[in-house]
Each structure stands twice: as structure tokens, then as C-alpha cells.
Amino acid sequence: MLNFFKKKNEELYSIANGEVISITNVNDKLFANKLLGDGVAFLLSDGKIYSPCDAEVVMLAKTKHAIGLKTKNGGELLIHIGLDTVNLNGEGFNVFVKTGDKVKRGTKLVEVNLEFMNSKKIDLMTPIILTNGDEYSLNILKINQRISLNDVIIKLEKNKNGGKSL
């Protein structure tokens, strides 16, 4: 029975070194008002973005600013690197994965050229949101503090009824 529960819950580790903040503090109403889903945001210290868990890359924006991951328990995560970065058309991003790749926790996904982003005055607040939140609950463990890649930030818990009415 314990194995049954392990499959339903998943730990999400930090995607970056830096600081984790509340999604409501993101300088974009789409994220701050949780219109795309709930989550947290990261203030990057070194520009490197890593997978928060074992997952499949299910989406990579042509502009390289956003990555979609599907966790082993079916959670769908969107990592949106910076704000208004879609307008850069991929410039300033070095991507290490492609759609369909299976990644392990800690796999480097993207490296951001911080010098370039600073020259363009880009806000690099980086939200990670759960896009299928009707099926899952987020238990946010760390907020408004410095973090490293070894920190568990969120417990992703599959709802008992899978989000469907009984």
C-alpha cells in the first residue's frame, strides 16, 4: 500500500541556485494571478536551469524561453524563463534538451546568458507552474529564501479522485 501512495506524490527540487519567491510576487499578472496555474518563481544566481524531477520534455518553445515537463506521476509543469523573453526569439538561451527527451532530476535544461539579458534589461524571474492543477495539489515547502539544487521546494500530490467528480 505504501508503494501506491509513493506513485501519487512527487518531490520537486529547485530548478536553479538563487532564491525562491511566491508566484504572487512575479512582475507579470498572468503568473502572479495564477491564471496559468499555481507554483513558485526563482531569482537565478547563475543562469542555469535544471530539471526539478525525473520527467519527459513535452514542450520546448521555438523561442527557447519556456519548457514543458511531464512528471512520472503525470503532473504537467511549465518553466517560463524570465518575463517578456519570448521577444528575444531564442537569443541569449543555450538549450540542452529537445521535445521527447527523458530527463533525470538535476539534468541541465537551459543556460541563460546573464550578461546578454542584463544588457537587454530583461527581468529573469523564472516561474515554474503546475498547468494541470485540477488533478494535483501543490504543497510548497520553501518560499522567500535562498535555495540550491538539493532543496526540495514542492511536494506535488495527485488528488485522490484525479480531479474528477465522484
Side-chain angles (χ1 to χ4, degrees):
M1 185 136 191
L2 289 177
N3 287 337
F4 175 74
F5 288 109
K6 280 188 177 182
K7 286 184 179 179
K8 291 178 114 179
N9 300 327
E10 190 144 11
E11 292 180 331
L12 302 181
Y13 286 76
S14 178
I15 63 167
N17 291 306
E19 188 177 340
V20 63
I21 63 170
S22 171
I23 196 77
T24 59
N25 291 334
V26 172
N27 297 323
D28 183 314
K29 289 182 182 183
L30 188 67
F31 294 110
N33 292 335
K34 303 180 185 180
L35 298 177
L36 295 176
D38 199 3
V40 297
F42 294 87
L43 304 176
L44 311 178
S45 65
D46 61 13
K48 297 172 185 165
I49 310 288
Y50 300 87
S51 180
C53 61
D54 294 353
E56 179 181 355
V57 178
V58 294
M59 186 277 299
L60 176 60
K62 287 182 183 180
T63 52
K64 303 177 185 177
H65 76 287
I67 296 178
L69 299 175
K70 187 166 192 171
T71 69
K72 284 189 168 189
N73 73 351
E76 296 173 3
L77 305 173
L78 174 67
I79 300 172
H80 191 282
I81 305 165
L83 306 178
D84 298 323
T85 46
V86 67
N87 300 324
L88 299 173
N89 293 315
E91 201 174 355
F93 297 100
N94 187 12
V95 179
F96 298 95
V97 295
K98 63 187 181 311
T99 301
D101 283 358
K102 304 273 196 254
V103 296
K104 296 283 186 191
R105 178 183 74 83
T107 300
K108 189 191 303 184
L109 303 174
V110 179
E111 191 163 347
V112 179
N113 181 327
L114 296 179
E115 188 175 307
F116 173 79
M117 295 297 171
N118 287 335
S119 76
K120 297 287 185 185
K121 299 191 181 348
I122 298 294
D123 184 340
L124 280 176
M125 279 188 181
T126 299
I128 180 171
I129 57 172
L130 176 68
T131 59
N132 60 341
D134 56 332
E135 299 176 38
Y136 296 84
S137 299
L138 291 181
N139 182 2
I140 298 171
L141 304 174
K142 293 189 186 272
I143 202 76
N144 299 324
Q145 60 185 286
R146 296 215 42 86
I147 41 81
S148 71
L149 294 176
N150 292 321
D151 289 325
V152 176
I153 305 298
I154 296 170
K155 285 203 178 183
L156 178 63
E157 300 169 352
K158 188 162 179 131
N159 295 338
K160 288 181 183 175
N161 62 5
K164 297 178 175 56
S165 299
L166 296 178

